[in-house]
Structures are given as structure tokens and as C-alpha cells.
């Protein structure tokens, strides 16, 4: 049986990101947007953020295209093994932009604008 460990090199950018960046901050930054006792269980914001972050890193601007890339690119599974529906990602982006979270990293990833170097 072939595993993810065999398919993706240990020095791949996404493996390094997963090892050195803690994405848990997204739970705290978005906690006020989720209801704990009403409706369906929420999708983990860390998973959604990681998917959008990968889209930002690799210049994938369409949520539909991003979901398709997750389905075929094994390296993307280094950050998250869950693939979400494109409509879920779109609603997340719209909700994130309208809520205007104060976390600059999540705002940067959601807006898909490159970082300025100045």
C-alpha cells in the first residue's frame, strides 16, 4: 500500500509549513462566528483556513478549482486530509470578509491579496 509519506517528499513546502506553523489561532479568531448549541456541527475553521491558505500560496483563486486541486494533488493533503465542497469555501470567504476579523493573517488569506514588502 502506498502512503502519503512515500508520495510527498519530506522537504516539500507544505510539509514544512505543517511542521512549523500552528494554525490553531483560527479557532480563537473565529469563535465568535460559531454557535455552540444550535444547528449542525461546524466545520473546523482550521481545515477551511488551511484550504484557503493553500489556494493563496499557489495562486488558486477559484474555490471550485481549489477543491478539484485537493482531489488530485496529494501534497495538499499534508496540511489537511479533508476536502470540503466549493460552496462551503465560498460561504466561508464571504462570511470572513463581511465579519472583518481582526486577525491580519486570516484577513490576508481570505482576501487573496499578496503581502506587501514595504
Amino acid at each position: 500500500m502506498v502512503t502519503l509519506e512515500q508520495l510527498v517528499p519530506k522537504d516539500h513546502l507544505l510539509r514544512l509549513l505543517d511542521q512549523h506553523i500552528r494554525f490553531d489561532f483560527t479557532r480563537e479568531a473565529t469563535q465568535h462566528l460559531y454557535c455552540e448549541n444550535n444547528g449542525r456541527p461546524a466545520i473546523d475553521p482550521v481545515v477551511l483556513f488551511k484550504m484557503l491558505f493553500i489556494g493563496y500560496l499557489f495562486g488558486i483563486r477559484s474555490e471550485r478549482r481549489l477543491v478539484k486541486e485537493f482531489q488530485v494533488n496529494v501534497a495538499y493533503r499534508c496540511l489537511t486530509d479533508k476536502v470540503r465542497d466549493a460552496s462551503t469555501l465560498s460561504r466561508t470567504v464571504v462570511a470572513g470578509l463581511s465579519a472583518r476579523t481582526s486577525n491580519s493573517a486570516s484577513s490576508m488569506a481570505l482576501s487573496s491579496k499578496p503581502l506587501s514588502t514595504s
Side-chain angles (χ1 to χ4, degrees), residues 60 64-74 76:
I60 305 168
R64 290 185 192 278
R65 181 71 182 162
L66 183 59
V67 169
K68 287 183 181 185
E69 288 294 324
F70 260 85
Q71 291 170 346
V72 298
N73 193 332
V74 177
Y76 293 170

Side-chain angles (χ1 to χ4, degrees), residues 12-41:
H12 191 280
L13 173 65
L14 295 178
R15 278 195 189 272
L16 297 173
L17 286 173
D18 193 40
Q19 291 171 2
H20 297 288
I21 297 177
R22 293 189 56 215
F23 291 96
D24 294 341
F25 71 90
T26 57
R27 283 191 191 98
E28 291 177 26
T30 59
Q31 186 176 13
H32 67 283
L33 300 172
Y34 290 93
C35 180
E36 295 180 20
N37 59 4
N38 194 2
R40 294 183 294 184

Side-chain angles (χ1 to χ4, degrees), residues 10 20 28 30 41 45 52-53 61 63 66 68 76 82 85 89-90 96-98 100 112 114 118:
K10 291 188 187 282
H20 297 288
E28 291 177 26
T30 59
L52 293 169
F53 189 65
R61 299 189 61 105
E63 286 85 13
L66 183 59
K68 287 183 181 185
Y76 293 170
K82 297 177 182 176
D85 185 72
L89 287 174
S90 294
L97 291 175
S98 66
R100 302 204 188 273
S112 298
S118 53

